[in-house]
Amino acid sequence: MENRRDLLKLIDNFHICEADWKLYQQLFMNGPARANTLNSLSGPLFAAIHRCLIEITFVRIAKLTDKRETGKFQNLTLDTLREENKHRFGIEEKYTATVESEAVKTIRDYRRKIFAHTDLDISRLPDPSTELGQVIHNHVTMALEQIRSFLYEYCDEVGQSIPQPRPVPNIDEFLAKFNCA
C-alpha cells in the first residue's frame, strides 16, 4: 500500500475480527457442558453476546472484503490493497480467490440479507438461515484463513513485518472465577 500505516490498520482490522471469532469459539463451541454453564450463569446475557459476536464477525469480514469505493468514499479494504498493487504478479488472482471464495460470498450474502438489511422475502421464511444455505462456523474459519493468507503473503512480499494479533481473553480462567469452568 502507498501508506504503511494503512496496511497496518488493515491488518489490525483483520486481527480484531479474528480475536472476536476466537472469543466466540471459546465461549460457544466447547460442547454442551459449556452451554449449560453459560445458561446457568445467565442465559439471556450469553445469548446476546452470542448474537453480537456472530453479527460483528460477519460485518467485519464483509468490510474487509468490500469494494475499495462506496459512492465517492474510499474504503480501507483488501480491494484497496489489490488496486494499489495491481502491478504485482499474482495479486489479482489471489484477491479474486479470496473474495470470490464460497466462504466469503456466503458470509457477505448472509450479512447483506439478514444483518445489514432485512430482506423482506427472507424475513418471512420460518428460518431465514436455511434459505441462505445456513452459514456454518466453518465458513467463518475458512474466510478468516483466506483473508489472513492474502494479507500475510503480501506482507512477506513487501518485507513488512506482521504485527502481533490482538490478545483473546481466556474464557476458562474467567469462568473458573465463578467456580463453574
Side-chain angles (χ1 to χ4, degrees):
M1 291 190 115
E2 290 178 23
N3 184 330
R4 180 177 178 269
R5 284 189 324 206
D6 288 347
L7 175 60
L8 294 176
K9 179 64 179 167
L10 184 60
I11 292 168
D12 190 50
N13 290 345
F14 167 73
H15 283 162
I16 291 168
C17 183
E18 189 175 49
D20 285 349
W21 184 245
K22 287 177 181 176
L23 178 61
Y24 173 87
Q25 289 177 308
Q26 281 189 58
L27 275 168
F28 302 108
M29 294 179 68
N30 253 340
R34 175 60 55 83
N36 292 337
T37 298
L38 298 178
N39 285 330
S40 71
L41 286 173
S42 175
L45 170 67
F46 287 102
I49 292 170
H50 181 274
R51 235 182 358 265
C52 289
L53 287 172
I54 288 286
E55 282 190 34
I56 197 62
T57 299
F58 279 45
V59 168
R60 285 190 173 131
I61 289 171
K63 284 172 58 176
L64 287 163
T65 59
D66 273 345
K67 295 291 182 193
R68 64 188 175 91
E69 293 179 350
T70 305
K72 62 182 179 178
F73 299 102
Q74 294 270 315
N75 298 316
L76 182 59
T77 67
L78 300 181
D79 190 32
T80 307
L81 181 64
R82 178 208 52 82
E83 179 63 25
E84 291 182 6
N85 291 279
K86 57 186 171 189
H87 62 279
R88 291 190 171 279
F89 179 75
I91 196 157
E92 188 69 42
E93 293 79 8
K94 291 175 188 173
Y95 169 78
T96 301
T98 300
V99 299
E100 294 295 322
S101 69
E102 179 189 345
V104 169
K105 286 171 69 174
T106 302
I107 289 168
R108 290 183 60 80
D109 195 37
Y110 197 90
R111 178 246 178 206
R112 180 176 49 83
K113 290 188 176 187
I114 301 295
F115 297 140
H117 310 284
T118 305
D119 183 276
L120 186 59
D121 290 336
I122 298 296
S123 70
R124 288 180 173 161
L125 297 170
D127 183 5
S129 64
T130 301
E131 180 65 22
L132 291 171
Q134 202 164 22
V135 178
I136 56 172
H137 299 117
N138 197 32
H139 283 93
V140 173
T141 300
M142 289 171 40
L144 290 174
E145 286 175 8
Q146 289 166 324
I147 293 167
R148 180 187 316 102
S149 175
F150 182 80
L151 287 169
Y152 286 16
E153 284 178 25
Y154 175 79
C155 286
D156 284 345
E157 288 176 20
V158 299
Q160 172 64 53
S161 62
I162 298 166
Q164 287 294 313
R166 293 285 181 121
V168 180
N170 185 314
I171 296 304
D172 292 328
E173 289 176 7
F174 173 77
L175 292 175
K177 292 178 181 182
F178 295 99
N179 293 320
C180 57

